[in-house]
C-alpha cells in the first residue's frame, strides 16, 4: 500500500513540475488555438465556436488581444463581430457589429487571452495549496503504512 501511494505521489509531483516548467508553452498553445478558433468561427454551433462564445460572455472580453481581432476573420465580413461580445444584448444591432468604430462602444474591448491567463494565474495559488494539502495526506499515509508494516513484521514471531 505504501508503494502504491508513493507511486501516485511521484506521478502527481511529476505532473506538477511539468506543468510549472511548460507553463509558457501552455500559454502559447492556448493563444494559437484561440486564434485558430476565431478564424474558423462560424454560425453553426460547433464546439469551438461555442467555446469562444462562452469565454467571451463569461469573462466579458472580445477577440484574442482585443475586439479588432475579429476584423481579420471571414465571419466579420459576413456578420460582423459576434453577439457574444456585446455588453448588452438589447443594444447590439447587426449594423453596429459590422462597423468597428460603432462596435467599439457596444462590445467588450479587452481581449480574452489576457483575461483567461490572468484568471488562471490568480487561481493557481488555490490549486497549489490544495495540491500541497493532498500531498501531505499522501505522505502521512505512506509513513503510517510503513509503520504498520514494520509493526506487523516485528510482532510476527510473538503470535505463535
Amino acid at each position: 500500500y505504501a508503494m502504491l501511494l508513493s507511486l501516485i505521489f511521484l506521478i502527481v509531483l511529476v505532473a506538477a513540475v511539468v506543468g510549472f516548467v511548460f507553463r509558457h508553452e501552455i500559454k502559447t498553445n492556448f493563444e494559437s488555438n484561440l486564434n485558430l478558433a476565431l478564424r474558423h468561427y462560424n454560425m453553426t454551433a460547433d464546439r469551438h465556436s461555442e467555446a469562444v462564445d462562452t469565454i467571451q460572455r463569461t469573462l466579458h472580453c472580445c477577440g484574442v488581444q482585443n475586439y479588432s481581432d475579429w476584423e481579420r476573420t471571414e465571419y466579420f465580413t459576413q456578420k460582423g463581430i459576434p453577439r457574444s461580445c456585446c455588453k448588452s444584448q438589447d443594444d447590439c444591432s447587426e449594423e453596429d457589429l459590422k462597423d468597428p468604430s460603432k462596435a467599439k462602444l457596444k462590445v467588450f474591448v479587452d481581449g480574452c487571452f489576457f483575461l483567461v491567463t490572468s484568471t488562471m494565474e490568480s487561481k493557481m495559488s488555490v490549486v497549489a495549496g490544495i495540491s500541497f494539502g493532498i500531498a501531505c495526506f499522501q505522505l502521512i499515509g505512506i509513513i503510517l503504512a510503513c509503520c504498520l508494516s514494520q509493526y506487523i513484521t516485528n510482532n510476527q514471531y510473538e503470535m505463535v
Side-chain angles (χ1 to χ4, degrees), residues 25-90:
E25 285 82 2
I26 293 170
K27 281 184 183 178
T28 305
N29 248 352
F30 176 71
E31 185 177 16
S32 64
N33 284 330
L34 191 57
N35 275 317
L36 187 65
L38 255 65
R39 278 199 307 273
H40 296 292
Y41 186 90
N42 55 28
M43 289 70 71
T44 62
D46 69 331
R47 60 189 176 105
H48 298 292
S49 299
E50 286 179 17
V52 169
D53 286 337
T54 302
I55 290 171
Q56 291 182 151
R57 266 191 227 104
T58 306
L59 294 178
H60 303 289
C61 59
C62 190
V64 179
Q65 300 301 327
N66 57 36
Y67 76 100
S68 64
D69 293 337
W70 282 105
E71 294 174 36
R72 296 183 295 276
T73 64
E74 187 178 319
Y75 181 83
F76 181 81
T77 57
Q78 297 170 5
K79 299 236 178 184
I81 296 172
R83 295 190 65 79
S84 59
C85 285
C86 292
K87 293 177 185 175
S88 170
Q89 294 295 321
D90 301 331

Side-chain angles (χ1 to χ4, degrees), residues 96-133:
D96 292 340
L97 294 174
K98 285 184 176 182
D99 183 8
S101 59
K102 288 181 185 176
K104 184 177 184 176
L105 304 171
K106 308 270 182 170
V107 300
F108 303 113
V109 292
D110 297 327
C112 294
F113 175 71
F114 175 74
L115 289 174
V116 168
T117 55
S118 63
T119 301
M120 286 172 49
E121 287 172 357
S122 70
K123 305 295 184 202
M124 281 305 210
S125 59
V126 173
V127 172
I130 291 171
S131 300
F132 181 72

